[in-house]
Amino acid sequence: MTYLPPPAEELRFLDAELRRLDAHRAQLLARRAWLVSVLQSAAPGPATPPFGGPAPATAPRPEASAPRVQNVLLVLGGVLLTIAAMAFTLVSWGHLGIAGRAAVLGTVTAAALAAPVPLLRRGLRSTAESVAGLGLALTVLDAYALHEAALADTDGTAYAAVTATVLAGAWAAYGTALGALRLPRPAALAAAQLPLLLTALAADAGPHGISAALLLTATADAAAALLVTSPALRPVRIAATIGAYGTGGWGLLGALWLSWTAPDPGAAARAAALLLPASAVALTAAWRTAGTARTAEPGRTGVTSTTDATDAPAASGTPSPALPSFSPQPLTTTLPTATALLGALVLLAALGGVLRVTLPGGWAVPAQLLGAVALLAAPRIPRMPEQVRHGVAWASAAVQGLALLWALPLVAVALFGPLGWADRPWSGGPADARDAVTVHAPWLSHSGPALAVLGLLAGALALLVRNATWRQRALAGAAVLAWAAALSVPAALELPYVVGLLLLGLLTAAALALPVLPPTGTVLALVTSVDLVFLALADRTATLTALSALTVLYAAASTRSRLAPVTAPATLAYATALACATGAAAGWQPPHTALLVLVVPAVAVAVAPRLATTTRVACEVTGAVAALVAVGLTVVDAPTLALVLSSLGVLAGATATRPDRRAAGYAAAALFALAAWVRLAAWEVTAPEAYTLPVTVPALLVGAWRRRRDPLTGSWPAYGPGLAVTLLPSLAALWRDEGWPRPLLLGSAALLITLLGARHRLRAPLVLGGAVLVLTALHELAPYLVQFADALPRWVPPALAGLLLLALGATYERRLRDVRRVRDVLGRMS
């Protein structure tokens, strides 16, 4: 027999063969393209085949350029010679006399320092740099040898300070004499970093003296970096900049530590005396650097032309932004901003160090915040470069942000403290507002300064930010800060408990009326109202009063369209909480309270059609949540639960009458069915038909209505679920039932359904009714079949099975034709 695979399997086989042929064709096309490129290539030489093979024999590219190799060799040579000189000085020095020592070191040092002259004349600049570096290193060794040989009794630190001073001057003079060399003058500047520091260490000047020495050295470096403008002295300027930031950084760290740990105003003033000049130097350097970058010609190496803030409006026609941009900037733009930021922060740190030991009880933070806010007036100085303005503004913003972080714990206690009443409702009103928010949290000692910080920040945002781009955001931030301060006032001032509740209620109403950025005011009002509800949980009367007032307030606010998407569902939520609190206050059982809660879903269903789309959806969701609350309150009482479910079914059915909520009809049917089942369970009814028939009848009616509206609807979606809901549970109960009424009724119903399916040519009733009828008949004949099987000999069942197989084999084709005919008949049914 010839095997013909099914169409689906044959289609998969053909698709696989076609993909394999496409892949092979692509491979051949790639090979052909390579061959064409080889034949058409003008330059001779092997090409790399696309399918692998040996790599072409090409000459490797050099990995290092000749000048780089030269520089590496020269540097290595200079380093090796320096090491050799150190070894000679440290090890072999004692084998020579005084004259020999002086002759050797003098001759080698003089030769090394003089050799760059003829080398420069011959154009060997790199070699001259290497030899000059060796000569500079030899001068250090000469100084060390001199100390070991003739000045061993002198103080080492003081001698090092003098030596560093002499070497710095000598190297600077040497570099000036041989101007073509780049190394000596930066080396002199590097040596100049040590004299003041070593002098302070030798004089045992203490932390203040050491910090002062470092800061003076950094000041000199900054002056050198600003005054040296020649392009030929660019290495000197780079070295001076590195020295200013490096040495100045260590000096600033020391001065800041002294200011932070100052035990009295005198020590703080001495630390401030170190920090204030450093701040002035940093701000001056930022101003000069920004001015140089602004006035320099565009295109010069290392300098970028920028536009001054005073010229920006005239050039662009729009006001300059109040805050700096975060877009990538060249070094000449970011370096002045960073330096100005550093200088302003150092200035504020000096002020804070003095205030910390002068003002008690945390009031130094508000005072320092005042200084940071006052610093915002500095950018209004005429002709100040834009980069410096940005740096000062960012420094002020940084201090304000730190002050806000310092004040946030007070807001956290005032906001989250009332949540502790959730586990002890109606346990008695607290003594004052502070006790009300410290149920599970300790109170903070700096509440007064924290309130001042919040108020100052709110005022600064509201009054100082005038830029049109940031104005609305600043007003929103000011509103949030003012709200946080007002939320914390009752607890901070230890106002009476009732007064605190009243203030929170007024704050809620004020936030709802906030004119800036409506979402901000609405969110603040919602948070305040939730806080008020938890705070009112301490007392029964306060709880009922607060929930009633909030329900009325939010219902009134819902008349404003811009607030309704939030206030309308909030009204329903507070109404639900009020219903629960009312039932609890009246001593009702939870199932009885659920009947009062049902008013909220009823109101939601009634008002939803009159609302906008967003508000309507929010109200319907809130009503559904209230319905779940009602159901949850009645789970312990089946009769009341059935009543609640049926009431919710009525509400869902009313919702389904709206054209845009037809799907609610399914929920209504499910709720009615659940209500009927709960009621039957309460009556201790165990027959499954009592639970299934209330579902089957409406389902069949809905199916008939669907087929009437749409004749193309099949019988399975129309009648299948309704019939299956009753037939299948009854069939399952039949096999556990010993009586005769259920088999009789079920068989009769199945026979009737089968006949109706055959009469109207409906597939679902015919199949379900016929299957249930056959299974019911088998259930009734099962005892007799068992008795008959026991009476038959053992060989009869195998013999009957064999005869059946033979008969089927003999009439296989005709049986298949009959089966196809039955299938076609069923297929033509709906």
Side-chain angles (χ1 to χ4, degrees):
M1 296 178 64
T2 302
Y3 171 72
L4 294 177
E9 182 179 353
E10 186 176 1
L11 181 60
R12 287 194 297 269
F13 174 76
L14 292 177
D15 290 340
E17 287 296 320
L18 290 174
R19 285 194 296 270
R20 187 180 64 80
L21 292 176
D22 289 340
H24 187 61
R25 183 175 184 274
Q27 186 178 13
L28 293 177
L29 289 175
R31 179 69 177 180
R32 180 182 181 279
W34 173 73
L35 293 174
V36 172
S37 64
V38 170
L39 295 176
Q40 294 179 351
S41 177
T48 303
F51 303 132
T58 58
R61 295 181 58 188
E63 297 182 358
S65 61
R68 182 173 299 178
V69 174
Q70 166 192 309
N71 293 334
V72 171
L73 294 177
L74 291 175
V75 170
L76 289 177
V79 170
L80 291 177
L81 288 175
T82 303
I83 294 174
M86 292 174 61
F88 169 76
T89 303
L90 297 175
V91 178
S92 302
W93 182 253
H95 299 291
L96 300 176
I98 297 177
R101 300 170 188 173
V104 171
L105 283 177
T107 301
V108 175
T109 304
L113 294 176
V117 177
L119 291 174
L120 289 174
R121 292 175 182 174
R122 294 177 177 272
L124 302 176
R125 181 174 175 178
S126 298
T127 306
E129 293 280 0
S130 299
V131 177
L134 175 62
L136 299 181
L138 288 175
T139 57
V140 178
L141 294 178
D142 289 342
Y144 170 77
L146 178 62
H147 178 269
E148 293 296 322
L151 302 174
D153 295 333
T154 60
D155 180 66
T157 307
Y159 178 79
V162 175
T163 301
T165 305
V166 173
L167 288 178
W171 290 354
Y174 179 72
T176 304
L178 299 179
L181 295 178
R182 297 183 178 180
L183 181 61
R185 281 175 287 193
L189 193 61
Q193 309 300 309
L194 300 177
L196 291 178
L197 175 61
L198 294 176
T199 301
L201 292 175
D204 197 13
H208 288 82
I210 295 174
S211 298
L214 290 171
L215 291 175
L216 285 175
T217 304
T219 302
D221 292 333
L226 293 175
L227 296 177
V228 176
T229 58
S230 175
L233 298 179
R234 187 169 178 267
V236 177
R237 186 167 64 252
I238 294 175
T241 304
I242 295 174
Y245 280 100
T247 308
W250 286 109
L252 283 177
L253 287 177
L256 290 172
W257 177 255
L258 292 174
S259 177
W260 182 260
T261 58
D264 51 57
R270 289 195 299 272
L274 296 175
L275 293 173
L276 291 177
S279 172
V281 170
L283 291 173
T284 303
W287 192 307
R288 289 289 303 273
T289 306
T292 302
R294 176 167 50 88
T295 58
E297 295 179 0
R300 180 175 296 179
T301 304
V303 180
T304 301
S305 176
T306 58
T307 303
D308 196 349
T310 58
D311 302 330
S316 61
T318 58
S320 59
L323 293 179
S325 173
F326 287 99
S327 58
Q329 299 290 335
L331 182 62
T332 53
T333 302
T334 57
L335 187 60
T337 301
T339 307
L341 171 64
L342 176 63
L345 287 177
V346 171
L347 175 62
L348 294 174
L351 175 64
V354 175
L355 294 174
R356 183 183 59 83
V357 296
T358 304
L359 298 177
W363 286 100
V365 177
Q368 190 168 7
L369 178 60
L370 278 176
V373 173
L375 194 63
L376 290 176
R380 303 182 184 274
I381 297 176
R383 303 187 63 81
M384 176 179 284
E386 188 72 14
Q387 297 92 330
V388 179
R389 295 183 182 183
H390 286 179
V392 173
W394 278 117
S396 177
V399 174
Q400 294 179 47
L402 292 176
L404 178 60
L405 291 177
W406 180 80
L408 281 182
L410 173 67
V411 183
V413 172
L415 182 62
F416 299 107
L419 299 180
W421 292 103
D423 59 351
R424 53 175 74 179
W426 298 352
S427 58
D432 51 44
R434 180 174 296 183
D435 291 339
V437 300
T438 55
V439 181
H440 295 301
W443 185 248
L444 304 175
S445 60
H446 56 271
S447 57
L451 279 178
V453 166
L454 295 173
L456 288 174
L457 289 174
L461 284 176
L463 299 177
L464 298 181
V465 179
R466 296 294 182 180
N467 184 271
T469 304
W470 294 90
R471 180 63 178 169
Q472 289 297 320
R473 301 175 187 175
L475 290 178
V480 172
L481 291 172
W483 166 82
L487 187 70
S488 308
V489 162
L493 301 182
E494 295 186 85
L495 298 177
Y497 173 66
V498 176
V499 175
L501 294 177
L502 290 176
L503 288 179
L504 287 182
L506 293 176
L507 182 60
T508 303
L512 284 175
L514 197 64
V516 294
L517 293 181
T520 303
T522 307
V523 172
L524 294 181
L526 189 61
V527 173
T528 309
S529 63
V530 172
D531 204 52
L532 172 60
V533 170
F534 278 99
L535 197 64
L537 283 177
D539 183 72
R540 177 184 302 175
T541 304
T543 302
L544 295 175
T545 304
L547 289 174
S548 301
L550 289 175
T551 303
V552 174
L553 176 63
Y554 275 93
S558 299
T559 58
R560 304 168 65 180
S561 58
R562 68 181 181 88
L563 301 179
V566 176
T567 56
T571 303
L572 297 178
Y574 285 128
T576 303
L578 178 61
C580 295
T582 301
W588 295 352
Q589 295 296 323
H592 299 159
T593 304
L595 300 177
L596 184 60
V597 175
L598 283 177
V599 176
V600 177
V603 172
V605 172
V607 302
R610 302 177 179 85
L611 302 176
T613 302
T614 305
T615 308
R616 183 190 311 145
V617 173
C619 288
E620 288 173 345
V621 171
T622 309
V625 174
L628 291 177
V629 172
V631 172
L633 292 173
T634 57
V635 292
V636 296
D637 188 359
T640 310
L641 177 60
L643 177 60
V644 169
L645 290 173
S646 59
S647 301
L648 294 177
V650 172
L651 295 177
T655 304
T657 58
R658 291 158 44 194
D660 58 336
R661 291 293 185 268
R662 297 300 186 193
Y666 298 104
L671 289 170
F672 282 127
L674 287 175
W677 291 350
V678 171
R679 173 54 66 181
L680 290 173
W683 288 338
E684 298 182 355
V685 176
T686 59
E689 291 79 8
Y691 295 88
T692 57
L693 286 176
V695 178
T696 296
V697 174
L700 293 177
L701 293 177
V702 171
W705 175 72
R706 287 184 60 187
R707 283 183 58 84
R708 181 179 294 274
R709 290 189 58 189
D710 185 8
L712 297 179
T713 303
S715 61
W716 280 110
Y719 303 117
L723 293 175
V725 165
T726 294
L727 292 178
L728 297 182
S730 299
L731 183 62
L734 175 67
W735 293 89
R736 301 191 304 269
D737 194 357
E738 299 295 337
W740 60 269
R742 176 174 279 113
L744 178 60
L745 294 176
L746 181 60
S748 302
L751 177 60
L752 178 60
I753 292 172
T754 304
L755 294 176
L756 289 175
R759 170 67 179 82
H760 297 284
R761 304 184 65 184
L762 298 176
R763 185 184 306 173
L766 182 62
V767 173
L768 288 175
V772 172
L773 181 60
V774 170
L775 293 175
T776 303
L778 288 176
H779 174 269
E780 295 303 311
L781 294 176
Y784 303 103
L785 294 177
V786 171
Q787 295 177 4
F788 180 71
D790 291 337
L792 290 177
R794 300 279 183 171
W795 54 268
V796 173
L800 293 176
L803 291 175
L804 178 62
L805 291 177
L806 289 176
L808 289 176
T811 59
Y812 180 76
E813 185 176 0
R814 187 173 62 185
R815 295 295 179 267
L816 286 179
R817 188 170 59 251
D818 295 340
V819 170
R820 292 192 187 97
R821 186 179 296 110
V822 173
R823 184 188 64 185
D824 294 339
V825 170
L826 290 175
R828 286 193 295 270
M829 293 183 179
S830 59

